[in-house]
Amino acid sequence: MGIRLGKFGLASFTTLFALVVNGCDNGSNNAAEYDYEVIDNERDSSAVTVLDTIYDTIQMPPFDEVLVYPPQGGDTLAYLSSSTADTPNSSALEVDPGASSGMEPPHSSSSEMSSGVILPNSSSSGIVPDLSSDSRPLRSSSSKIEPPPESSSRMVPPSSSSKGPVLDFSFYNGADISTVQEYERWGAKFYDVDGTEKDVFTLLKDHGFNAIRLKTFVSPKAQYGYAASGCDHDAEAYADKDHIIAYAKKIKAAGMAFLLDIHYSDNWADPGKQIIPSRWRSVTSSDAMADSVYNYTYDLINSLKQVNATPEMVQIGNETTPGILIHVPNSKTDCWGNGVDKASTAINGDMGTSAGKANAGKYFKAGIRAVKAVSQDIKTVLHIESIRKTSTVDWWMNEIFKNQKVPADVMGFSAYTAYGDDKPDKWNSLFRNLISTYPNLEFIVAEYNGGESDNTYSYDGSRKKAVDMVRGLDRWIGAFFWEPTLSGAWGPSLFDWDGPDLRANKKAFDEYKVEF
């Protein structure tokens, strides 16, 4: 899911919980952040030596093992450098194939909904922005707010695997809590339904959750990135490699399973946009792009392995129904990636074209190969939305698994009642058909909420039903609640804001709790 900015409501200035903070223009903290350029072997014979040295430094395999898609004839190779990202070449843009592509529109157009980061107030319901999964309009031009001072009294309690029940991992009952790391920066505390303060991991475990999903971006501090200067998340390079490693260590310390969701973009990747990361926009061939996908993925997953935070599952792309690595930004692109152009046919993974389908298949394979090079035990996941339209699901999976022969382990879906996907009972037929059609795949619901409409939910058991229904199906191995601290177009959160803190909503958690 992507997320959009809407209007911020403020009960009073003194109760504002600031997530819009002073911009930070220091670039990424990522020590292994490189750009990928295309060079000519014949004109620069030192390239292989340079690459070997770099791979030794960042603990990557030898050069000849990394380039899993060597260019035909040996003319070019993906080269790591520290140069700044090139401006995209607007002359290499392709016209959208439109209706002939066989694609379904995303959840909604950017004109239908908008969203953003929740800013808390002291009301029991919290402030609910207008949110949706596909895009966000420009942020407000209002002045930035200083965060509250940090103090030891606001520190988040350490997570401990000794707290809560012993977890059973035969089924992943998970939650995507990517935004929580941003709240913790300002000392947000979590309180259970009985008023007991707990760290977020312990609280979720005590209510039956056993797995955490986190999103990650390539260079979120880059221009047009998630944490670009002047945008709502610019306090730090949230969701970059360093932040993911830090939070993954907390997940493992809590004894929980870990699903890593790689967006392969500097910003939200979803049905409305799949923007090529700034570091890769000078790449001119699909082989070199695949090498870039491989190198980045290997470095990220191997770095997690080095600190004993290896994910159980890795998602190769986010809501990639239209494809992957398709777009480039332009002068009108906003903080959330709205308003983009299509990259050249040679490199984009737009599944509305024959060339794009082949490119997408190549990029998915490159990411999967990199994950498996780190550990064969990690399950690789592909992810789309639009389960309400079974023809789209059938078309996409047939193309990727049967025609492109992408060897993923798990297929994941977004399932949102508020986006027209209906309630869990309606998913049952599609999900059962997939079991018989793809006997070698496992499946997850990668994102769900249960809300009937914008921030509306009847507490009719639909959330728990989503978990219970797929838990009872063969080879369905998990379901992940999307951002339990965020309310929006997909439905209300599981928590209420109380000043700068988050309190578990008793009605939500009483319904949702799943016994192992």
Side-chain angles (χ1 to χ4, degrees), residues 234-266:
D234 61 359
E236 295 180 12
Y238 292 116
D240 72 349
K241 174 184 170 182
D242 290 345
H243 283 79
I244 288 300
I245 289 174
Y247 225 52
K249 290 164 73 174
K250 288 189 174 185
I251 295 171
K252 293 298 181 176
M256 302 179 81
F258 175 28
L259 165 58
L260 179 63
D261 172 16
I262 306 177
H263 280 236
Y264 292 100
S265 182
D266 297 336

Side-chain angles (χ1 to χ4, degrees), residues 135-186:
S135 59
R136 308 191 343 182
L138 284 168
R139 59 175 277 133
S140 167
S141 60
S142 59
S143 60
K144 293 178 178 291
I145 310 298
E146 289 290 346
E150 296 187 27
S151 69
S152 59
S153 64
R154 303 294 303 166
M155 295 302 291
V156 177
S159 179
S160 170
S161 58
S162 64
K163 297 181 181 180
V166 175
L167 302 182
D168 173 9
F169 296 111
S170 59
F171 182 89
Y172 296 118
N173 182 29
D176 186 319
I177 62 168
S178 298
T179 308
V180 170
Q181 193 175 25
E182 300 183 40
Y183 301 151
E184 288 184 353
R185 173 185 170 90
W186 312 121

Side-chain angles (χ1 to χ4, degrees), residues 63-366:
F63 172 70
D64 58 357
E65 294 179 13
V66 173
L67 292 181
V68 294
Y69 293 100
Q72 298 298 318
D75 293 332
T76 59
L77 51 84
Y79 175 56
L80 298 170
S81 79
S82 57
S83 64
T84 56
D86 292 341
T87 302
N89 182 357
S90 59
S91 65
L93 304 179
E94 179 186 32
V95 177
D96 193 332
S100 63
S101 69
M103 284 303 305
E104 179 191 8
H107 294 304
S108 65
S109 67
S110 60
S111 63
E112 290 177 308
M113 305 176 190
S114 61
S115 80
V117 176
I118 289 183
L119 299 181
N121 65 7
S122 57
S123 69
S124 60
S125 61
I127 295 174
V128 181
D130 208 10
L131 297 169
S132 141
S133 71
D134 303 324
S135 59
R136 308 191 343 182
L138 284 168
R139 59 175 277 133
S140 167
S141 60
S142 59
S143 60
K144 293 178 178 291
I145 310 298
E146 289 290 346
E150 296 187 27
S151 69
S152 59
S153 64
R154 303 294 303 166
M155 295 302 291
V156 177
S159 179
S160 170
S161 58
S162 64
K163 297 181 181 180
V166 175
L167 302 182
D168 173 9
F169 296 111
S170 59
F171 182 89
Y172 296 118
N173 182 29
D176 186 319
I177 62 168
S178 298
T179 308
V180 170
Q181 193 175 25
E182 300 183 40
Y183 301 151
E184 288 184 353
R185 173 185 170 90
W186 312 121
K189 294 181 180 180
F190 284 81
Y191 294 91
D192 209 336
V193 293
D194 62 358
T196 303
E197 182 187 353
K198 298 178 180 178
D199 68 88
V200 66
F201 304 104
T202 300
L203 192 157
L204 289 172
K205 286 194 299 180
D206 287 348
H207 289 276
F209 290 87
N210 65 356
I212 297 297
R213 179 181 186 247
L214 297 179
K215 68 177 181 287
T216 187
F217 304 120
V218 178
S219 299
K221 270 292 181 184
Q223 186 179 18
Y224 308 113
Y226 176 80
S229 179
C231 294
D232 281 336
H233 302 273
D234 61 359
E236 295 180 12
Y238 292 116
D240 72 349
K241 174 184 170 182
D242 290 345
H243 283 79
I244 288 300
I245 289 174
Y247 225 52
K249 290 164 73 174
K250 288 189 174 185
I251 295 171
K252 293 298 181 176
M256 302 179 81
F258 175 28
L259 165 58
L260 179 63
D261 172 16
I262 306 177
H263 280 236
Y264 292 100
S265 182
D266 297 336
N267 209 327
W268 297 103
D270 55 41
K273 69 272 186 189
Q274 298 279 332
I275 304 174
I276 295 170
S278 57
R279 297 191 313 198
W280 306 348
R281 287 182 205 141
S282 61
V283 169
T284 58
S285 76
S286 61
D287 287 324
M289 183 69 80
D291 294 338
S292 298
V293 170
Y294 182 100
N295 296 335
Y296 162 75
T297 307
Y298 183 94
D299 176 53
L300 177 61
I301 306 305
N302 189 53
S303 296
L304 287 164
K305 181 180 179 181
Q306 298 307 311
V307 295
N308 298 315
T310 306
E312 277 68 32
M313 294 189 285
V314 173
Q315 211 176 286
I316 308 298
N318 186 77
E319 291 189 331
T320 56
T321 317
I324 188 170
L325 296 166
I326 302 172
H327 301 106
V328 291
N330 57 50
S331 61
K332 296 181 180 180
T333 302
D334 65 22
C335 286
W336 300 275
N338 297 315
V340 292
D341 296 313
K342 196 170 290 184
S344 69
T345 304
I347 62 170
N348 80 54
D350 171 24
M351 288 183 60
T353 69
S354 296
K357 290 174 184 176
N359 288 343
K362 185 181 294 187
Y363 304 153
F364 287 133
K365 290 176 185 176

